[in-house]
């Protein structure tokens, strides 16, 4: 779904116990650009990204809640997480329980080859001045 930050009333993230710190950290990295790209990049960790007005507005709406025993029991088989978004208009969006997010080796719905090629090019470009020197396969 596509939702503007000012439409969201509340965003709840449910997680397994050991994941709490990681999600609290990642909340400060949810910038508007990243939401459009659906991928984090090194620039998303910059001070300007974290201090971005839109990012800060979204951070104010995010709460973290332990998913309980059900979530804890599913770890380390997967990364049990769910997200619920409530809008000012009364709509609710619920991801339901996600065990294997995109990029997880056991996720069979995402194009893992495309994700890995993207990450390889992104990180390789940080080390190489000329991206054409990188060897990778096109998706």
């Amino acid at each position: 779904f596509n939702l503007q930050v000012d439409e969201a009333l509340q965003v709840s993230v449910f997680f397994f116990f050991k994941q709490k710190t990681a999600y609290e950290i990642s909340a400060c990295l949810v910038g508007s650009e990243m939401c459009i790209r659906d991928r984090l990049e090194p620039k998303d960790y910059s001070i300007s990204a974290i201090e971005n007005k839109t990012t800060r507005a979204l951070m104010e709406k995010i709460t973290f809640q332990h998913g309980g025993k059900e979530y804890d029991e599913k770890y380390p088989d997967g990364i049990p997480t769910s997200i619920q978004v409530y809008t000012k208009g009364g709509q609710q969006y619920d991801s339901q329980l996600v065990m294997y997010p995109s990029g997880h080796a056991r996720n069979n719905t995402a194009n893992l080859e495309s994700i890995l090629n993207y990450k390889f090019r992104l990180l390789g470009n940080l080390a190489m001045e000329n991206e054409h020197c990188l060897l990778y396969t096109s998706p």
Side-chain angles (χ1 to χ4, degrees):
F1 69 95
N2 189 1
L3 184 70
Q4 298 297 316
V5 172
D6 61 349
E7 293 178 76
L9 181 63
Q10 176 185 345
V11 178
S12 298
V13 177
F14 297 87
F15 54 87
F16 62 95
F17 181 72
K18 293 182 180 183
Q19 194 176 18
K20 185 175 191 286
T21 303
Y23 269 102
E24 287 176 337
I25 292 168
S26 69
C28 67
L29 304 176
V30 181
S32 56
E33 280 188 52
M34 187 281 297
C35 292
I36 293 167
R37 289 190 318 270
D38 194 28
R39 294 183 169 113
L40 283 172
E41 295 182 1
K43 66 182 177 180
D44 296 309
Y45 294 83
S46 71
I47 295 297
S48 63
I50 294 170
E51 292 177 347
N52 178 282
K53 189 171 84 172
T54 303
T55 300
R56 288 305 205 185
L58 183 56
M59 288 170 60
E60 292 294 321
K61 298 175 183 193
I62 298 175
T63 61
F64 298 89
Q65 300 175 39
H66 178 224
K69 186 177 179 181
E70 174 190 5
Y71 283 58
D72 290 345
E73 290 174 346
K74 295 182 183 310
Y75 177 83
D77 176 54
I79 304 173
T81 309
S82 62
I83 297 176
Q84 296 175 345
V85 177
Y86 301 90
T87 69
K88 292 177 182 175
Q91 292 179 295
Q92 178 182 346
Y93 300 92
D94 190 339
S95 70
Q96 302 297 315
L97 179 66
V98 174
M99 282 292 292
Y100 311 114
S102 297
H104 191 286
R106 294 176 109 184
N107 180 311
N108 59 10
T109 61
N111 183 338
L112 189 56
E113 183 177 345
S114 174
I115 292 169
L116 292 175
N117 278 330
Y118 173 83
K119 287 181 179 181
F120 178 80
R121 286 191 309 272
L122 175 71
L123 297 175
N125 284 332
L126 293 175
M128 305 290 293
E129 287 185 30
N130 184 351
E131 71 176 82
H132 300 293
C133 294
L134 297 173
L135 298 175
Y136 61 88
T137 59
S138 297

